[in-house]
């Protein structure tokens, strides 16, 4: 089994794969204060919960935007399997030209999403990743990573409303039953969810106008399934895009030294 880790600011998503076959996925909190021993126990528990054991894992790979968690998980992997994981960096063979001002500073999740999207969909491509932040990555007609946009995510928007207003409550991020809310919680849900969908539609319109051609729009990330049905522009929901990219990068770079 290949064990994959997607480390975000809010969650760590863990996936087990046998070749192209997804065996399981699990999600735990991304905690900067946990030690390698604690993460080792968490990983072992996730495996056991899905019916697997330490001996079933042959190797691992990690994409992370939280360096301190990366380090703790890598040490945890070494404790359990006595070797390091393959970590995504721009030193890998990406098969992707990154045209940003500082490629080494580009989020690893954006790189992995782009690698998978380029392999799976016709260019040009707009990849929307809905996590703690909502990001838009632009892959041009030649398959180059051009750059993108970053906006506050759904969770941040709801948290900010609850924290900065006296009478607005915190709400769960569920799709509203109707466009026009008839109570405070539904009004917030409608504003945040439809507002986010409208933002994505607007991004697509402006990017296509800027590039002068139609784009394939792809949406992924933890909250993608809730927002995609609310978008008016055609958009492909690909919940496992990052794991597809991470598997592809692992296959291409698994024999490289691991630091």
């Amino acid at each position: 089994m290949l064990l994959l880790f997607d480390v975000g600011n809010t969650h760590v998503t863990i996936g087990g794969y046998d070749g192209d076959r997804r065996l399981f996925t699990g999600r735990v909190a991304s905690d900067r204060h946990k030690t390698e021993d604690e993460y080792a126990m968490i990983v072992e528990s996730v495996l056991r919960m899905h019916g697997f054991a330490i001996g079933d894992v042959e190797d691992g790979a990690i994409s992370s935007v939280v360096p301190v968690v990366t380090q703790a998980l890598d040490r945890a992997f070494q404790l359990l399997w006595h070797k390091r994981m393959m970590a995504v960096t721009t030193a890998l063979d990406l098969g992707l030209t990154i045209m940003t001002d500082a490629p080494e500073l580009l989020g690893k999740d954006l790189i992995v999403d782009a690698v998978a999207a380029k392999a799976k969909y016709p260019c040009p491509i707009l990849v929307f990743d809905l996590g703690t932040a909502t990001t838009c990555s632009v892959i041009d007609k030649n398959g180059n990573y051009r750059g993108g946009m970053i906006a506050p995510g759904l969770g941040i928007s709801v948290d900010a409303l609850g924290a900065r207003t006296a009478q607005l409550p915190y709400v769960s991020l569920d799709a509203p039953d109707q466009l026009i809310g008839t109570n405070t919680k539904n009004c917030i849900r409608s504003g945040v969810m439809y507002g986010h969908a409208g933002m994505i539609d607007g991004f697509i319109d402006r990017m296509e106008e800027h590039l002068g051609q139609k784009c394939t729009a792809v949406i992924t990330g933890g909250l993608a399934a809730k927002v995609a049905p609310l978008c008016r522009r055609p958009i492909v929901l690909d919940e496992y895009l990052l794991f597809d990219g991470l598997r592809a990068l692992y296959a291409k770079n698994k024999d490289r030294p691991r630091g």
Side-chain angles (χ1 to χ4, degrees), residues 176-188 190:
D177 295 327
Q178 56 191 30
L179 180 63
I180 301 175
T182 54
N183 58 63
T184 302
K185 288 187 176 182
N186 283 342
C187 285
I188 293 173
S190 183

Side-chain angles (χ1 to χ4, degrees), residues 15 59 75 126 140 170 206:
D59 209 348
R75 291 193 295 266
L126 305 178
D140 67 20
Y170 290 92
R206 289 172 183 263

Side-chain angles (χ1 to χ4, degrees), residues 95-96 112-123 125 139 143 241 244-245 248:
L96 182 74
V112 179
D113 281 345
V115 167
K118 181 181 175 182
K120 297 177 71 175
Y121 303 106
C123 295
I125 308 166
I139 304 165
L241 183 70
D244 287 343

Side-chain angles (χ1 to χ4, degrees), residues 17-37:
Y17 279 80
D18 179 10
D20 294 338
R21 186 164 64 99
R22 187 174 65 255
L23 302 175
F24 73 87
T25 59
R27 180 173 293 191
V28 300
S30 181
D31 189 337
R32 293 164 172 81
H33 303 291
K34 276 189 167 54
T35 66
E36 58 265 36
D37 295 314

Side-chain angles (χ1 to χ4, degrees), residues 1 9 13 26 29 56 59 98 115 117 124 133 136 164 166 172 180-181 201 203 230 233:
M1 181 199 305
N9 287 290
T13 306
D56 295 322
D59 209 348
I98 301 173
V115 167
C136 173
R164 299 294 295 272
S172 61
I180 301 175
D201 287 335
F203 278 178
L230 307 180
R233 293 297 305 267

Side-chain angles (χ1 to χ4, degrees), residues 64-77:
S64 174
V65 297
V66 189
V68 67
V69 178
T70 310
Q71 294 164 12
L73 275 169
D74 189 49
R75 291 193 295 266
F77 196 87

Side-chain angles (χ1 to χ4, degrees), residues 208-242:
E208 288 186 341
E209 181 180 355
H210 179 76
L211 296 172
Q213 58 190 137
K214 293 291 185 181
C215 298
T216 306
V218 181
I219 189 169
T220 191
L223 298 169
K226 295 184 178 182
V227 175
L230 307 180
C231 294
R232 287 185 168 180
R233 293 297 305 267
I235 192 163
V236 179
L237 174 62
D238 193 332
E239 297 184 80
Y240 299 103
L241 183 70
L242 189 139

